Amino acid sequence: MLLGASLVGVLLFSSLVLKLPWTQVGFSLLLLYLGSVGWRFVWVFIKTIKRDVFGGMVLLKVKVKVQRYLRQRQTIPILFASTVQRHPDKTALIFEGTDTHWTFRQLDDYSSSVANFLQARGLVSGDVAALFMENRNEFVGLWLGMAKLGVEAALINTNLQRDTLRHCLTISRARVLIFGSEMAPAVFEIHASLDSSLSLFCSGPWEPSSVPPNTEHLDPLLEDAPKHLPSRPDKGFVDKLFYIYTSGTTGLPKAAIVVHSRYYRIAAFVYYGFRMRPDDIIYDCLPLYHTAGNIVGIGQCLLHGMTVVIRKKFSASRFWDDCIKYNCTIVQYIGELCRYLLNQPPREAENQHRVRMALGNGLRHSIWTKFSGRFNISQVAEFYGATECNCSLGNFDSQVGACGFNSRILPFIYPIRLVRVNEDTMELIRGPDGVCLPCQPGEPGQLVGRIIQQDPLRSFDGYLMQSANNKIASNVFKKGDQAYLTGDVLVMDELGYLYFRDRTGDTFRWKGENVSTTEVEGILSRLLDMADVAVYGVKVPGTEGRAGMAAVANPAGSCDLEHLAQLLEKELPLCARPIFMRLMPELHKTGTFKFQKTELRKEGFDPAIVKDPLFYLNAQKGCYVPLDQGVYNRIQAGKEKL
């Protein structure tokens, strides 16, 4: 404070008495100040000021709009109505599977028919309707139509089945389940155990014998429904829009609450931060039941009038052909997809497209330059942020390998921080005063975001089940505050760029999905008659994330892995099934009765190190087979498909 006051005095004296220009005096004093705090800081200032000011302007722009929409009680359907009014006949959505084009007017009409139909069936604002469907235009129209009525959509992961699927439907308290005909077998399998009051509707090709009894064919019902806009529900900008299920770090999938302001904030942050344009065309091959596909991608259509090409599922062989066919300028990715594309043989199409930006998360430093160089993509727009988190990051200047940045010179602009943590237990490390210890550059730590519930940019909306809200800690930045814990370990360099480190705690990521080790451990333990089981992620060369591995206490040597593989196929999606198995006489535990996974993780699945019997899930045979040195070498060389 004294230094600042002294500098102001010098500025006034120099300008009024010595008659020096304000700009000259101000610049000189700026250099003097920077010198007083260290010339290393000056170097950081020069290298990052442009980036940080731009980031601050993006935050300010989004904040101003959020505050305005908060006062006006805007909602996503209302903002979408403005988009429709601007260009009703522009193409909004293209479904690659059937080459179906919908204009903004058509999307508006379809969603209004959904709202009117559900209203006629007795649904009101605040009710929940579950949506269980693969990617297509109708997916967007269905949840948007629900929102027009004030009905909250529960977006169900299409990989789920049996107990996990039943759990997601049950906790949502949905009155209606709308499912695609492709999901009929999964619904048929559990329908007898569902609440009898749950109304079932099937969209897509109709085959009465393949759907549960009392299921109605939705498509003709919507064709007959009125297309006028229903009465506006009593919903505002901070009210619930829909639920996205996330594995989190423990237990079964949790329904993360997405309010209207969160949907807008995520989509706008990406739009302004990465300098998108209304005439951009996005190629969206990511699941629409997740944030990246439905908010980051589809949000640009609904809020900013961009055309979005929807693909049912990612195809490495068709990716660039699709981009050329639909004149795409932006493609969405997760890190795994980039590696799949790089593994494809070179072809002419990969250099004949108009794509200027790749937008996503999880692109690792090791393949970043190779990916952007081979496919001639000028901007890699990497971002970071879980569905429910309040501390999203953006790599606005394509710094190789970074998932975002935190200003070293203007840290007060965005209240996020890396704090010291035990990487094995994810326990926060605190100082003598009980407050978390901030990390220095180069020191890994957990990313946290300060919670300010009155500010939609800083609030934590949590989960549908209050018992799942276990990601909040107190006394993080200072005494008495609260902060959201991301559960991810990052590391910051001297310029404030943040780099992702693979999760080593209670979650691993495989095939683009976060997998809860606790959930898999519970299922394995049940299937193995309550045997001790430890599940953790292990690195596999040439792949993104970590593959699941299970260490099983098997003192009698009686584990039937062939039967276990058959049971796991019914219980868990492919991404969550352990790829590797280790059968041990016993599992060691800590003093707090937690399995000691650190050594297990370090030893991995190398038979030269691990002397216990090792097995791996053979992709062709669909069962666990012995893992010897020859198999290990093939996996290391990328010659064994996992």
Side-chain angles (χ1 to χ4, degrees):
M1 291 295 292
L2 291 175
L3 176 61
S6 299
L7 292 178
V8 170
V10 173
L11 175 62
L12 292 173
F13 177 82
S14 302
S15 177
L16 298 176
V17 179
L18 301 181
K19 307 298 184 182
L20 295 176
W22 283 84
T23 53
Q24 179 181 338
V25 175
F27 182 73
S28 300
L29 289 178
L30 176 62
L31 291 179
L32 177 63
Y33 172 73
L34 293 176
S36 70
V37 297
W39 286 104
R40 194 65 184 173
F41 181 83
V42 176
W43 176 77
V44 173
F45 180 92
I46 293 172
K47 297 285 286 187
T48 63
I49 183 62
K50 182 178 179 181
R51 176 201 69 183
D52 294 3
V53 168
F54 174 75
M57 295 302 293
V58 170
L59 284 173
L60 179 61
K61 188 165 191 173
V62 174
K63 184 179 181 66
V64 168
K65 286 180 174 287
V66 165
Q67 294 298 333
R68 186 203 316 163
Y69 296 155
L70 185 64
R71 292 192 304 271
Q72 297 173 344
R73 288 180 55 81
Q74 298 277 34
T75 62
I76 296 303
I78 294 174
L79 296 176
F80 171 68
S82 299
T83 305
V84 176
Q85 191 173 25
R86 289 198 300 273
H87 30 233
D89 298 319
K90 180 182 177 180
T91 300
L93 300 174
I94 302 173
F95 178 48
E96 181 278 334
T98 56
D99 203 29
T100 303
H101 293 59
W102 280 13
T103 65
F104 282 91
R105 193 198 310 274
Q106 288 173 307
L107 176 57
D108 189 36
D109 288 344
Y110 181 88
S111 57
S112 291
S113 68
V114 171
N116 288 314
F117 168 74
L118 293 177
Q119 187 176 50
R121 291 302 180 104
L123 271 71
V124 297
S125 179
D127 283 339
V128 178
L131 183 54
F132 189 42
M133 178 184 291
E134 290 182 341
N135 286 8
R136 52 179 178 266
N137 294 355
E138 287 80 2
F139 187 103
V140 181
L142 284 163
W143 76 253
L144 181 60
M146 296 171 189
K148 286 184 174 182
L149 187 61
V151 170
E152 299 149 15
L155 308 180
I156 309 295
N157 187 323
T158 54
N159 291 307
L160 302 183
Q161 51 192 342
R162 299 185 67 176
D163 290 346
T164 311
L165 173 58
R166 185 184 301 109
H167 163 80
C168 290
L169 291 172
T170 301
I171 65 170
S172 73
R173 298 181 180 176
R175 291 187 56 191
V176 166
L177 168 59
I178 297 176
F179 61 93
S181 54
E182 69 280 1
M183 308 311 302
V187 177
F188 202 103
E189 192 173 20
I190 66 167
H191 82 277
S193 60
L194 297 176
D195 193 315
S196 59
S197 65
L198 181 68
S199 300
L200 303 179
F201 298 96
C202 178
S203 176
W206 179 246
E207 179 52 58
S209 62
S210 67
V211 298
N214 301 318
T215 299
E216 297 182 67
H217 191 197
L218 180 65
D219 299 348
L221 298 173
L222 292 182
E223 290 177 5
D224 294 337
K227 292 180 171 52
H228 62 78
L229 186 67
S231 300
R232 176 177 175 175
D234 185 22
K235 290 271 190 177
F237 206 45
V238 292
D239 288 320
K240 296 174 184 175
L241 175 60
F242 54 55
Y243 308 109
I244 288 180
Y245 288 83
T246 172
S247 61
T249 55
T250 58
L252 291 165
K254 298 182 290 187
I257 298 171
V258 178
V259 299
H260 292 262
S261 61
R262 179 171 295 276
Y263 189 101
Y264 175 82
R265 175 178 66 81
I266 294 173
F269 177 77
V270 168
Y271 180 81
Y272 295 114
F274 294 120
R275 301 177 176 89
M276 294 180 174
R277 301 188 291 258
D279 60 347
D280 275 321
I281 300 175
I282 296 183
Y283 185 69
D284 187 351
C285 58
L286 304 181
L288 297 185
Y289 54 74
H290 273 170
T291 300
N294 199 355
I295 304 180
V296 175
I298 297 299
Q300 310 311 327
C301 168
L302 304 183
L303 301 174
H304 302 119
M306 293 164 59
T307 299
V308 175
V309 179
I310 298 173
R311 204 180 202 283
K312 184 169 71 171
K313 291 183 179 179
F314 166 77
S315 169
S317 61
R318 290 292 309 168
F319 191 91
W320 298 113
D321 292 326
D322 289 345
C323 291
I324 293 171
K325 179 178 179 180
Y326 298 110
N327 294 313
C328 297
T329 57
I330 299 174
V331 294
Q332 288 191 260
Y333 71 84
I334 53 175
E336 293 87 340
L337 305 192
C338 300
R339 195 177 290 275
Y340 296 152
L341 290 172
L342 284 171
N343 289 338
Q344 288 285 301
R347 51 188 308 184
E348 291 184 5
E350 66 187 42
N351 291 308
Q352 296 175 340
H353 57 79
R354 297 177 54 233
V355 174
R356 63 179 178 82
M357 180 193 302
L359 169 68
N361 54 61
L363 182 56
R364 295 297 183 260
H365 190 284
S366 59
I367 64 171
W368 185 298
T369 303
K370 185 177 180 181
F371 175 79
S372 60
R374 173 176 167 179
F375 301 122
N376 194 30
I377 297 176
S378 59
Q379 181 183 2
V380 176
E382 175 87 4
F383 64 88
Y384 169 90
T387 300
E388 70 278 20
C389 83
N390 68 339
C391 47
S392 301
L393 305 173
N395 182 351
F396 294 154
D397 51 0
S398 295
Q399 172 73 11
V400 175
C403 60
F405 69 93
N406 190 25
S407 177
R408 301 289 317 283
I409 61 175
L410 304 170
F412 53 85
I413 288 183
Y414 199 34
I416 65 171
R417 180 175 291 176
L418 290 187
V419 296
R420 293 178 60 189
V421 66
N422 182 318
E423 289 191 61
D424 290 323
T425 65
M426 297 305 290
E427 181 180 359
L428 300 174
I429 298 174
R430 300 176 181 272
D433 60 354
V435 176
C436 292
L437 299 175
C439 294
Q440 299 302 314
E443 184 179 16
Q446 182 173 182
L447 180 68
V448 299
R450 181 181 295 165
I451 295 174
I452 305 174
Q453 285 300 126
Q454 297 77 20
D455 183 353
L457 297 181
R458 308 281 185 262
S459 64
F460 174 67
D461 302 310
Y463 302 95
L464 185 59
M465 295 178 65
Q466 289 301 312
S467 60
N469 292 325
N470 60 351
K471 304 191 73 171
I472 298 177
S474 299
N475 306 323
V476 177
F477 290 77
K478 62 180 182 179
K479 280 283 189 179
D481 70 357
Q482 287 190 318
Y484 169 81
L485 308 179
T486 64
D488 284 324
V489 177
L490 306 179
V491 64
M492 178 176 64
D493 68 13
E494 195 170 7
L495 297 179
Y497 288 107
L498 295 162
Y499 300 86
F500 186 82
R501 285 163 60 102
D502 287 319
R503 298 183 184 205
T504 57
D506 293 328
T507 307
F508 64 88
R509 185 175 179 85
W510 185 245
K511 301 294 184 182
E513 298 282 350
N514 292 330
V515 180
S516 165
T517 60
T518 307
E519 178 186 352
V520 180
E521 285 170 350
I523 291 174
L524 275 172
S525 180
R526 171 168 54 82
L527 297 178
L528 294 170
D529 295 326
M530 307 310 292
D532 282 344
V533 178
V535 175
Y536 45 96
V538 292
K539 288 294 294 180
V540 178
T543 65
E544 297 294 334
R546 292 175 182 263
M549 184 166 182
V552 179
N554 184 45
S558 58
C559 185
D560 186 347
L561 290 180
E562 182 175 353
H563 182 55
L564 179 63
Q566 296 172 356
L567 295 176
L568 286 174
E569 185 176 1
K570 296 179 180 180
E571 294 278 352
L572 291 169
L574 182 60
C575 63
R577 295 173 214 159
I579 301 298
F580 303 103
M581 285 281 184
R582 176 178 178 174
L583 303 185
M584 306 176 65
E586 64 175 330
L587 293 183
H588 300 289
K589 296 182 180 180
T590 66
T592 55
F593 303 101
K594 294 182 179 180
F595 293 120
Q596 295 180 340
K597 297 183 182 181
T598 303
E599 286 302 314
L600 294 173
R601 192 180 298 114
K602 289 180 180 178
E603 293 172 351
F605 55 95
D606 185 351
I609 299 175
V610 178
K611 302 310 176 184
D612 301 312
L614 291 170
F615 302 83
Y616 79 105
L617 186 59
N618 185 283
Q620 293 180 331
K621 297 180 180 179
C623 62
Y624 290 99
V625 298
L627 194 162
D628 57 21
Q629 195 65 47
V631 173
Y632 177 81
N633 292 339
R634 291 201 302 275
I635 292 174
Q636 294 298 105
K639 297 179 180 179
E640 188 75 26
K641 184 178 180 181
L642 298 178

